[in-house]
Amino acid sequence: KKKTQVTQNQTDGHAFTYHDYTGMSIFLSNIAQNCSSIARLFSIGRSVQGREIWALRLTDNPTKEEDEPEFLYIANMHGDETIGREVLIHLIQDICDNYGVDEYITTLVNETDIYIIPTINPDGFELQQRPNANYQDLNRNFPDQFLSSSESFQPETSSVMNFIQNKSFSLGANMHGGSVCCNYPWDGAKYHRSSGYYSRSPDDSLYQSLCTSYSKANKLMFNSTEFPNGITNGADWYVLFGGLQDFSYAYNGMLHVTLELTETKFPAESYLESEWENNHDSVYRYMEQVHRGVRGFVISDDNSPLAANLVFQPFQSVSNIEPQPAAQEITTRTDKSLGDFHRVLLPGNYRVKVAADGYNTIQNFVVEVPTPNSETGIGLIKSSWVSVNFTLTKSSSKEALTSGETAAVVIVSIIGGFSIAIVIYFYLQRRKNPESPTSKMLV
């Protein structure tokens, strides 16, 4: 197979040429120095051949943990699928150039904790091959809820797993090539090993909305003749197991999609400028979706942040939906250092369960997510969320709150830029039926 020409040692983020490993590394180091007020460069691990897997954090205080939703872009998982790598390099340069100049980009960076990994398969890129240097497909190498594997985790896979598991990402995407669409969970299926069967997740409607936010800003994707509106369920297109998308969502609670950006996997450098133009608006439209839904803190009664798990269930039962979601609950994790959480949700009413080891569980608390005043831009970033803060009391058992024990919930709605705070103190009392473990809320 004839290899694509790659410019050697290209370090300019404005150049529409490929950036090999050396050039990309220098480019990222330069960004960290030239935009040090918003950028921090670090490695999440090394590849089989010893190359660093670089990650860049972009936010207004890149050395501190703050109450901001965490967002992740990953590209070049398959070494010969290269457009995503270059799109992310240009995105990084665009943010660096326009922070403090462009109001929208400045607001997005100030309000979001953004992480970008241009490649997790640096060896594959240098070799111009799909798998890593061990000839393993990284997008079949992650833990899978449906199908266990005897394959050992590759160094690149382990690095990504450890990184994601030690963060509390709310939303993310990984970029591929070979088609043009936004692919959403599940990629795997509970009862089928063949493609063409829709594998629904509990957040199916939300995923369709998230994917459409990307595709609608990309005319080539949105006008697809293969995929309506440029989006598709993963397993309905082609089923796969051990993928990053399903791992991120099922095991870590990160809403995660796969972005297929170009029909040609490793196009010539002459195509790079037009592909950046195709995806420029989309990468921002998708990122800002992380500000939808519910955010808040979970703390103990002595005001200490808690490592807690939250489950948001819509009032609409999924029991009558066909096909059935493979998993009924997706867990949102707090950042254990701050106790903050951020859950992307569509407008509607949700029942919330909050649990932390050694503390009483809050169950069946109701949160209403309003329709945002703006569907895009600064208006979405600043005024589309509801804040709910939970205080948990210590318990000697793992039962839900019992009579006489109290918890506090503070609800803050941000609607049109105005804050409305309501403090609710409640206690839970066992139903008189001793056979029923269900508790009711008395407000």
Side-chain angles (χ1 to χ4, degrees):
K1 182 181 177 180
K2 184 179 179 180
K3 291 191 174 183
T4 302
Q5 181 67 38
V6 173
T7 300
Q8 300 298 301
N9 302 326
Q10 176 61 266
T11 63
D12 184 0
H14 300 98
F16 290 105
T17 62
Y18 282 114
H19 297 72
D20 65 3
Y21 175 75
T22 300
M24 182 192 68
S25 299
I26 296 172
F27 160 74
L28 292 172
S29 178
N30 289 342
I31 288 288
Q33 293 177 16
N34 297 335
C35 297
S36 58
S37 64
I38 62 167
R40 183 174 75 86
L41 180 64
F42 60 98
S43 172
I44 66 169
R46 289 186 175 181
S47 67
V48 171
Q49 295 183 340
R51 294 182 175 90
E52 302 289 353
I53 302 173
W54 295 115
L56 190 74
R57 183 185 186 192
L58 292 164
T59 189
D60 57 343
N61 290 297
T63 61
K64 298 180 180 179
E65 290 297 324
E66 294 185 310
D67 171 28
E68 295 175 347
E70 295 176 354
F71 180 91
L72 176 65
Y73 269 139
I74 286 176
N76 201 208
M77 176 184 296
H78 292 144
D80 63 347
E81 298 176 16
T82 57
I83 285 296
R85 174 188 178 113
E86 294 303 319
V87 165
L88 292 186
I89 286 173
H90 282 279
L91 173 62
I92 289 167
Q93 186 67 65
D94 198 49
I95 290 174
C96 182
D97 288 345
N98 289 289
Y99 181 78
V101 177
D102 181 89
E103 183 183 5
Y104 169 76
I105 290 178
T106 303
T107 302
L108 181 66
V109 171
N110 286 347
E111 301 295 332
T112 318
D113 200 358
I114 303 166
Y115 292 80
I116 297 177
I117 306 178
T119 177
I120 63 170
N121 188 3
D123 299 346
F125 179 83
E126 299 298 315
L127 297 168
Q128 295 201 18
Q129 65 182 34
R130 176 187 177 93
N132 71 349
N134 283 339
Y135 220 74
Q136 295 294 312
D137 188 331
L138 299 181
N139 207 32
R140 306 293 188 276
N141 192 232
F142 287 87
D144 193 278
Q145 62 176 332
F146 303 118
L147 190 66
S148 59
S149 172
S150 59
E151 294 284 345
S152 60
F153 297 127
Q154 295 297 300
E156 297 91 344
T157 311
S158 295
S159 296
V160 174
M161 288 169 56
N162 292 335
F163 176 62
I164 290 175
Q165 289 169 338
N166 284 310
K167 302 295 294 180
S168 53
F169 288 108
S170 301
L171 182 62
N174 70 96
M175 296 179 172
H176 289 252
S179 189
V180 181
C181 66
C182 179
N183 173 108
Y184 56 88
W186 299 111
D187 275 337
K190 189 173 184 179
Y191 300 111
H192 301 284
R193 296 293 179 264
S194 55
S195 302
Y197 295 92
Y198 199 108
S199 187
R200 187 184 303 272
S201 80
D203 290 291
D204 188 69
S205 295
L206 173 58
Y207 268 121
Q208 292 184 46
S209 175
L210 291 170
C211 268
T212 302
S213 74
Y214 194 98
S215 69
K216 201 170 183 179
N218 182 320
K219 291 182 179 180
L220 183 64
M221 187 180 291
F222 191 73
N223 294 327
S224 169
T225 58
E226 182 179 3
F227 307 103
N229 296 332
I231 71 173
T232 182
N233 174 258
D236 193 35
W237 180 23
Y238 71 92
V239 71
L240 71 86
F241 300 92
L244 172 60
Q245 173 177 275
D246 283 12
F247 164 76
S248 299
Y249 181 47
Y251 291 89
N252 300 282
M254 185 207 318
L255 292 153
H256 197 102
V257 303
T258 300
L259 298 169
E260 300 277 354
L261 299 185
T262 182
E263 296 283 354
T264 304
K265 291 188 175 185
F266 205 139
E269 291 183 331
S270 58
Y271 288 89
L272 297 181
E273 184 172 6
S274 62
E275 291 302 331
W276 167 237
E277 292 172 354
N278 287 342
N279 290 282
H280 173 276
D281 291 351
S282 295
V283 290
Y284 286 111
R285 293 287 84 83
Y286 184 74
M287 268 196 290
E288 69 192 20
Q289 301 301 311
V290 78
H291 291 279
R292 290 183 178 273
V294 179
R295 67 192 294 175
F297 292 87
V298 181
I299 61 173
S300 66
D301 48 7
D302 64 0
N303 292 320
S304 299
L306 292 178
N309 295 320
L310 301 93
V311 175
F312 293 83
Q313 292 278 28
F315 267 41
Q316 179 185 2
S317 172
V318 297
S319 61
N320 296 322
I321 294 176
E322 294 292 342
Q324 279 285 294
Q328 297 295 317
E329 290 187 348
I330 298 297
T331 299
T332 298
R333 300 177 304 174
T334 62
D335 182 326
K336 60 185 178 182
S337 64
L338 295 179
D340 62 315
F341 67 90
H342 305 81
R343 179 49 152 105
V344 180
L345 294 167
L346 290 176
N349 294 316
Y350 298 84
R351 293 186 179 91
V352 187
K353 179 173 71 175
V354 189
D357 288 343
Y359 291 83
N360 292 299
T361 298
I362 293 177
Q363 298 192 78
N364 295 323
F365 185 80
V366 178
V367 172
E368 180 182 358
V369 178
T371 300
N373 290 335
S374 176
E375 290 296 322
T376 61
I378 294 174
L380 177 64
I381 295 168
K382 285 197 165 184
S383 62
S384 64
W385 50 266
V386 171
S387 178
V388 185
N389 301 326
F390 296 95
T391 301
L392 303 186
T393 57
K394 291 183 179 179
S395 173
S396 58
S397 69
K398 293 186 178 180
E399 296 184 21
L401 285 170
T402 58
S403 178
E405 297 173 327
T406 62
V409 179
V410 180
I411 303 177
V412 180
S413 296
I414 304 299
I415 303 173
F418 295 95
S419 300
I420 305 170
I422 306 170
V423 182
I424 302 175
Y425 291 92
F426 67 89
Y427 68 91
L428 300 179
Q429 179 176 314
R430 292 286 182 189
R431 295 186 186 276
K432 292 185 178 179
N433 179 2
E435 296 179 359
S436 173
T438 306
S439 298
K440 64 181 180 180
M441 185 182 299
L442 302 179
V443 179

